[in-house]
Structure formats: C-alpha cells, structure tokens
Amino acid sequence: MFRSQFSKVFHNARNAFFGNSRFTPFTKSYTPFTRGVVLSKMKLPSSNYSHSGGSRKYSTFFRPSMDGNEKYIVGGIIGANVLVFILWNTYGSASRESHNTMVENFTASYRNLVQGRVHTLITQSFSQQDLPHLFFNMLNVFFFAPYILTRLGTKRFMFIYLTAGAFGALSFIGYQYFQLPPNRRRFAALMPDYCLGASASVFAVNSIFACMHPLHRVYFFFIPMPAVVVFGGLFLYDVYYAGRQRQSTTSHVGHVAGVLTGVAYYFFYLKRLRIV
C-alpha cells in the first residue's frame, strides 16, 4: 500500500516541473528555461520503427529504449552540465579572479569572441550557475532528447545540439551589438553582458520533436495539448518579446534562434534526406 502510494506520488512529481529565468550582466547569469512543459506517458502513433538496420520498440514508460552509446550521450550532457554547475558554485565563487576565469571560459559574449575565446560558443551550452536553471534544462534533456537521439543517431544529434547552442549565443551577441548606437559599437568589447545555458539547444530538440510528433500530447502547466501547439505557442511568445530584449531578463532572441535552427535542420536536412 505504502509502496503503491509512494510510486504514484513520485510519478506525478516527475511529470510536472516549472522554471524561472533571468538575464543579468557580468556577475549574475542569464538563465533561460523551458517553461513548465511536461510529457505524458509516451504513447506515440507507432510503437516500432526501423533504426540502423533493425527494429526498436518504444518504452511504455516515458522514454524510448536506448542502446549504450545513446545512454552515454544523454548521461554525458547531464553530467557535463552538473560538473560546470559545481565549478561555478565552488571554484567560481572563491574569488574575483576565479569568477572571471569561469566567465571567460563558460559564457558567450562579444568580449570573449574578439579576444579569441571562440570555444565559449560551445562551452556556454553546458554552463548553468543556479540550480533551477540546471534542473529544468536537464530534466527537459532527460525526457525529450532520447526521442530525437534514437531517431538521428549520436553524431547527428550532437551536431544539432551544439550548433543550436552556438547559434543561440551568436544571436544574443549580435542583438546586443546592433542595439548599440553606431558611434558606440567600437566599444562593444567593454559590454559586461554575457549569456550561458542549454536553452537554445533544448529549444532545438523540442522543435524537432514537435515537427516529428506534432499531435503528441504534452502537458503545459498540467493542461494536455498537442506538442505543436505548446512549442509553437512558446515560439510566438519569444518572437513577440524578442523585440523588447533590452527590457527583458530572458534571452528571447536566443530561444528563437534555437527553435529556428531545429526547424531548419528538420525540414532542410532530415526530411529531405528521409532520415525521419
């Protein structure tokens, strides 16, 4: 009896998650999130599909079954984010110098680019400073990524995951730069603003999922809706507020870039080559 009740409570808790977001300059973090989106028990239209010359069966409990390499990818993404989160809150908070080292290597900014730290376009996608940001992004990866990963394979999945993160960061940097008056852009490297987080990559994964399974039921604040409605609505929300980025604490521009990267990858590559 107790075991049954505990299982039910755990099941319900795992199916609902919410987030918060903010962007603040320099000493604080830009922390976008995936807004309150949860999955129902996974029952896709077809329970089998062909993959790498064989047939794979969808799991009846939330996610499809994955082989060893695919499990390592999901676990590796989550593990890398957890590691960087620990670094932010131990080494990164020990002194001003150590904090600046983290900013220079795990955030994306115009300053980092012009100073040659191009690797930050990738490393910022594995960088979260606060626990809610880490938890909700990684919970999203845990639920949604396996469906894309098992269809695309590890190489294609990592390509779109990293590319979307980089495009999201570049969109944020470009927006910040062109918001400056022309006579002040030569001082852009002095801007303290930076971005970090997995949200652009997560939004790309979500958009591909919505393209692949547009009518699949997704819970948004406990309300069941088709995936295309939930993620399409969030996209329109970000598009609307992207023009007000300077007054917002969320990088809506980065979210839009992540979605567009995922949609473009689906229609111009995956669909055209009949990979999905």
Side-chain angles (χ1 to χ4, degrees):
M1 177 85 149
F2 172 77
R3 191 172 183 180
S4 175
Q5 290 177 345
F6 176 80
S7 178
K8 184 177 180 180
V9 170
F10 180 76
H11 173 82
N12 291 335
R14 165 153 65 170
N15 272 305
F17 58 94
F18 302 92
N20 204 344
S21 64
R22 64 182 180 276
F23 169 78
T24 51
F26 200 57
T27 59
K28 296 184 181 178
S29 63
Y30 152 59
T31 57
F33 74 104
T34 303
R35 305 174 187 82
V37 179
V38 298
L39 286 178
S40 64
K41 193 173 183 179
M42 291 299 183
K43 291 182 180 179
L44 297 177
S46 174
S47 61
N48 293 278
Y49 66 89
S50 177
H51 177 76
S52 300
S55 178
R56 185 194 299 270
K57 203 166 196 173
Y58 278 111
S59 168
T60 58
F61 187 69
F62 290 104
R63 307 189 305 162
S65 58
M66 296 183 290
D67 63 27
N69 290 335
E70 293 162 354
K71 290 179 181 178
Y72 293 145
I73 292 296
V74 174
I77 290 174
I78 295 174
N81 280 269
V82 170
L83 178 60
V84 177
F85 168 77
I86 293 173
L87 285 174
W88 272 113
N89 290 276
T90 53
Y91 172 76
S93 61
S95 67
R96 183 68 176 179
E97 291 73 20
S98 60
H99 177 83
N100 289 342
T101 299
M102 294 296 295
V103 170
E104 290 173 356
N105 289 282
F106 290 98
T107 70
S109 65
Y110 185 83
R111 177 188 296 175
N112 279 345
L113 285 186
V114 298
Q115 293 181 357
R117 293 185 287 272
V118 182
H119 64 279
T120 55
L121 295 177
I122 300 299
T123 57
Q124 63 85 30
S125 294
F126 298 88
S127 180
Q128 274 84 198
Q129 281 185 303
D130 58 77
L131 187 58
H133 188 202
L134 171 73
F135 178 75
F136 296 119
N137 271 338
M138 293 305 100
L139 195 60
N140 202 309
V141 169
F142 178 81
F143 282 121
F144 285 98
Y147 283 91
I148 311 305
L149 180 57
T150 53
R151 295 297 297 271
L152 304 188
T154 57
K155 291 182 179 179
R156 292 191 184 102
F157 176 84
M158 288 307 301
F159 172 80
I160 188 58
Y161 189 89
L162 297 177
T163 300
F167 280 173
L170 285 172
S171 299
F172 170 83
I173 294 169
Y175 185 90
Q176 295 292 99
Y177 178 82
F178 287 107
Q179 283 291 302
L180 293 173
N183 62 339
R184 295 182 58 191
R185 289 175 185 169
R186 64 180 181 274
F187 303 113
L190 301 178
M191 290 193 304
D193 298 341
Y194 61 73
C195 69
L196 72 163
S199 292
S201 299
V202 167
F203 271 65
V205 170
N206 289 347
S207 65
I208 295 175
F209 179 88
C211 289
M212 291 170 57
H213 308 294
L215 301 181
H216 182 67
R217 186 176 62 179
V218 173
Y219 282 90
F220 183 69
F221 291 104
F222 301 106
I223 302 173
M225 301 180 190
V228 68
V229 173
V230 173
F231 297 122
L234 293 177
F235 172 71
L236 294 177
Y237 173 88
D238 281 318
V239 169
Y240 176 76
Y241 281 101
R244 308 183 181 194
Q245 185 68 59
R246 298 299 292 183
Q247 290 78 39
S248 175
T249 56
T250 300
S251 178
H252 298 286
V253 173
H255 291 180
V256 170
V259 172
L260 292 180
T261 303
V263 171
Y265 188 66
Y266 176 83
F267 283 104
F268 294 105
Y269 181 71
L270 302 178
K271 197 73 172 176
R272 179 173 294 183
L273 298 182
R274 298 182 180 180
I275 295 173
V276 295

